[in-house]
Amino acid sequence: MDIEKNKNEDSMKLLISRMKHRLIKIRLGGGTKKIEKLHARGKMTARERINYLVDKGSEWLELGAFAGFEMYEEHGGCPAAGVIVGLGYVSKRLCVIVANDATVKAGAWFPITGKKNLRAQEIATENRIPIIYLVDSAGVFLPMQDEIFPDKEHFGRIFRNNARMSAAGVPQIAAIMGSCVAGGAYLPIMSDEALIVEGSGSIFLAGPYLVKAAIGEDIDQETLGGAKTQTEISGICDYKVKNDEECLDTIRELMDKIGSLENAGFDRTAPTPPKLDQTELYGVIPHDMSRPYDMEEVLKILVDDSKLTYYKKDYGKTILCAYARIDGWSVGIVANNRKVVKSASGEMQFGGVIYSDSADKAARFIMNCNQKKIPLVFLHDVTGFMVGSRSEHGGIIKDGAKMVNAVANSTVPKFSIVMGNSYGAGNYAMCGKAYDPRLIVAWPTAKIAVMGGAQAAKVLLQIQVASLKEKGQEITKEEEKKLLQAIQNRYDRQTTPYYAAARLWVDAIIDPTETRKWISKGIEMANHAPIERFNVGVFQV
């Protein structure tokens, strides 16, 4: 057993090391030469601005660091989607911070950049916490304008959100610390307050070249939309500051004056560490994720004092439901049990599969947590719902719909941790991205897809072979084997946590030992916004 745990630990540490090395490269943005150019102009990088702005010694949680990973390679790539987003404290207030990275295509907006900005606004809105924009962007990346400009979830949605957030009382502060051009000019001016840095900050609907082309006027950038113009003549900006440092200091002063709002009232006691060290997680999670493992052991490592109160422990055993505390916060946990178990009727049930009894139990537990105003934590390692005639005749669709209904209508904040598999409708029932978790993060062992790679490859192979035969083409066993391998390789690449994080299906890939921290910070964030009354609506009982 110790040998197996050592293998597990080595495997996990290798995955974490790979993740950290990739993050080091991502955090260089456009590279050292671009960083040096910014410094030569007296400007900080986006990450340096954030580091200066947040309270010293406080925690910074970066969201979407892998957004854009291995995307847009034909355009030179887009590290971290060209914008840094995260949760941090400014003057002791938890905020969302959004900072354009001017080292990546001059801070231009790719399609994934827009998606990441919208996610930042969504987090600030639903948790009713302030959002700070550090603007330094050349605007839309023109070669891809058709993929970011006109649709509902594109660039223009950001300004619509500015207006709606202001109406909802979510504080927004914007600092123009570089270029702010065309449609992008609306973001800072639709925020509650705007600052502009002398010399480097500029804001206008059309730059000097476009003005010359459109109306024949010769004008320089500073006169057209620099700090002096926009604070003394147009009056569109509220504060003129001399440099990046003064700008960030002023934001801190503004944040210091914001009043407190009513909170949700989630229960918290003094935190108690688990009885086991967090690094024990490395040995529990198998190096081969198709193998069973003890989810109860995982939970004991994650929760305060390793203490859990299980709900219907001996019923619906392929899902574990339990009340516990994480960093002092009261939580309801819904976790896929990865052990093979025996039901009350003597039927052997596969671990990681949701059966009718498990779905029914989980639905009731989720409703109870909503009734008692307890945040929900979902731990994914699910291959889907049970299939076959026995399950269909037993009403698996009805019971699965019951669980999905409860998840969809939950008003308490939900947090999803994708530990292993998150396949098919199991992803939905366990509160995947489509079900509005306040935060969703993945371990390096995560896989998100409609089904497993091997199964998907076999299905796709059958379809392709049948299609070829219809056209009168024969395929040899050797060709079939090569085709199967090619399909599986492509599918396996699309199920990795990096593929998911690049597209913002998850907010971050994290070291498993940071799970408690992310959940705690998420509940603290969610506690700023009162919750609505819970109502599940109609479903088949």
Side-chain angles (χ1 to χ4, degrees):
M1 186 62 182
D2 286 339
I3 293 173
E4 197 63 26
K5 280 201 169 187
N6 287 340
K7 281 184 181 178
N8 295 343
E9 187 173 333
D10 289 345
S11 175
M12 183 64 82
K13 284 181 175 178
L14 185 63
L15 290 173
I16 292 166
S17 176
R18 183 181 303 156
M19 176 187 75
K20 287 180 177 178
H21 277 95
R22 286 173 169 172
L23 280 172
I24 289 168
K25 187 175 179 182
I26 285 167
R27 285 170 180 157
L28 285 173
T32 52
K33 287 185 179 178
K34 295 284 180 67
I35 292 170
E36 286 167 6
K37 281 185 178 180
L38 274 189
H39 288 166
R41 293 167 57 195
K43 296 172 67 174
M44 297 180 179
T45 66
R47 293 185 183 277
E48 287 167 346
R49 287 168 176 168
I50 290 169
N51 188 54
Y52 186 97
L53 178 63
V54 297
D55 295 348
K56 298 297 174 277
S58 67
E59 218 157 43
W60 163 254
L61 291 186
E62 185 171 352
L63 303 166
F66 283 101
F69 180 72
E70 294 185 342
M71 296 170 69
Y72 315 120
E73 296 298 324
E74 68 278 21
H75 297 295
C78 187
V83 62
I84 317 305
V85 172
L87 293 165
Y89 295 91
V90 179
S91 297
K92 299 182 181 178
R93 284 166 174 78
L94 186 61
C95 308
V96 175
I97 302 173
V98 180
N100 298 114
D101 187 348
T103 69
V104 180
K105 301 289 183 185
W109 290 58
F110 286 73
I112 195 66
T113 315
K115 188 173 182 180
K116 189 169 173 180
N117 275 266
L118 289 170
R119 177 61 176 146
Q121 289 183 321
E122 179 183 40
I123 289 170
T125 301
E126 64 187 356
N127 298 294
R128 209 172 62 174
I129 57 176
I131 183 166
I132 297 167
Y133 309 98
L134 307 180
V135 184
D136 194 345
S137 171
V140 166
F141 184 63
L142 290 178
M144 303 188 76
Q145 63 85 26
D146 61 319
E147 296 182 46
I148 188 171
F149 171 65
D151 211 343
K152 183 178 178 180
E153 299 300 328
H154 284 179
F155 194 59
R157 186 77 171 184
I158 290 161
F159 318 134
R160 174 262 189 197
N161 287 352
N162 286 140
R164 297 292 294 268
M165 291 164 74
S166 187
V170 177
Q172 299 175 85
I173 296 173
I176 301 156
M177 307 182 79
S179 296
C180 189
V181 116
Y186 287 107
L187 184 148
I189 306 310
M190 293 189 73
S191 297
D192 301 331
E193 294 182 282
L195 305 86
I196 186 167
V197 180
E198 289 185 89
S200 56
S202 60
I203 178 167
F204 31 63
L205 291 181
Y209 293 119
L210 185 53
V211 168
K212 174 69 173 175
I215 63 173
E217 181 184 1
D218 281 308
I219 190 167
D220 65 87
Q221 182 166 305
E222 194 65 25
T223 306
L224 181 64
K228 186 177 178 69
T229 297
Q230 302 295 26
T231 56
E232 297 179 23
I233 300 172
S234 72
I236 68 167
C237 293
D238 307 303
Y239 307 93
K240 179 174 64 177
V241 291
K242 291 179 181 177
N243 50 40
D244 282 9
E245 289 85 355
E246 186 180 335
C247 181
L248 300 168
D249 287 337
T250 305
I251 292 172
R252 291 181 57 80
E253 290 168 14
L254 295 173
M255 286 298 302
D256 181 57
K257 311 302 185 296
I258 294 176
S260 298
L261 299 171
E262 175 193 0
N263 64 30
F266 301 127
D267 186 65
R268 192 181 197 187
T269 59
T272 307
K275 291 179 178 175
L276 296 166
D277 191 271
Q278 294 298 284
T279 56
E280 292 289 323
L281 288 168
Y282 297 164
V284 175
I285 305 303
H287 58 276
D288 176 358
M289 288 299 284
S290 65
R291 296 187 182 187
Y293 60 91
D294 192 347
M295 183 60 84
E296 290 191 50
E297 193 174 346
V298 172
L299 297 183
K300 286 178 181 176
I301 298 169
L302 289 176
V303 305
D304 286 16
D305 200 32
S306 302
K307 187 176 181 181
L308 297 124
T309 304
Y310 286 101
Y311 175 81
K312 292 182 184 286
K313 186 172 184 179
D314 298 319
Y315 178 75
K317 295 178 184 177
T318 65
I319 287 184
L320 300 175
C321 297
Y323 298 108
R325 290 189 182 274
I326 292 178
D327 198 32
W329 294 104
S330 169
V331 296
I333 296 171
V334 180
N336 302 114
N337 190 1
R338 279 299 308 275
K339 292 192 298 186
V340 176
V341 296
K342 186 185 287 187
S343 70
S345 63
E347 174 194 7
M348 297 307 294
Q349 296 183 336
F350 298 106
V353 179
I354 303 175
Y355 290 76
S356 282
D357 53 358
S358 302
D360 179 75
K361 174 176 86 171
R364 291 184 63 84
F365 180 73
I366 290 164
M367 289 188 281
N368 277 334
C369 287
N370 275 273
Q371 290 286 73
K372 295 190 283 187
K373 210 157 74 170
I374 299 173
L376 285 158
V377 176
F378 294 83
L379 297 172
H380 298 221
D381 196 346
V382 58
T383 52
F385 285 89
M386 190 58 191
V387 297
S389 60
R390 186 170 180 178
S391 290
E392 297 293 356
H393 298 169
I396 186 67
I397 296 176
K398 174 188 69 178
D399 291 315
K402 215 186 294 185
M403 182 176 174
V404 171
N405 194 313
V407 173
N409 282 299
S410 285
T411 56
V412 293
K414 299 166 292 197
F415 302 91
S416 284
I417 316 296
V418 186
M419 300 167 48
N421 302 321
S422 189
Y423 292 159
N427 172 273
Y428 303 157
M430 292 297 292
C431 194
K433 184 65 183 287
Y435 289 79
D436 296 326
R438 298 293 177 99
L439 291 174
I440 176 169
V441 297
W443 289 2
T445 44
K447 291 190 175 187
I448 301 172
V450 73
M451 63 178 74
Q455 301 95 310
K458 287 173 185 175
V459 171
L460 291 168
L461 177 67
Q462 290 173 41
I463 293 168
Q464 289 196 28
V465 169
S467 176
L468 289 169
K469 285 182 178 177
E470 278 181 13
K471 295 173 184 175
Q473 298 177 33
E474 288 298 321
I475 183 168
T476 66
K477 288 290 180 187
E478 188 61 35
E479 288 171 332
E480 195 173 300
K481 187 178 178 182
K482 284 182 181 177
L483 185 56
L484 177 65
Q485 190 60 54
I487 294 169
Q488 182 155 352
N489 289 345
R490 184 178 74 245
Y491 201 89
D492 286 345
R493 183 180 68 84
Q494 293 174 349
T495 63
T496 68
Y498 297 100
Y499 194 90
R503 288 151 184 81
L504 290 173
W505 301 347
V506 296
D507 292 313
I509 305 173
I510 67 167
D511 183 327
T513 60
E514 295 183 331
T515 304
R516 276 172 56 86
K517 177 176 76 176
W518 277 82
I519 294 169
S520 176
K521 196 61 60 191
I523 300 174
E524 180 188 342
M525 169 184 79
N527 199 39
H528 288 78
I531 58 174
E532 299 172 7
R533 180 178 174 275
F534 175 62
N535 190 339
V536 293
V538 176
F539 60 82
Q540 295 284 338
V541 295

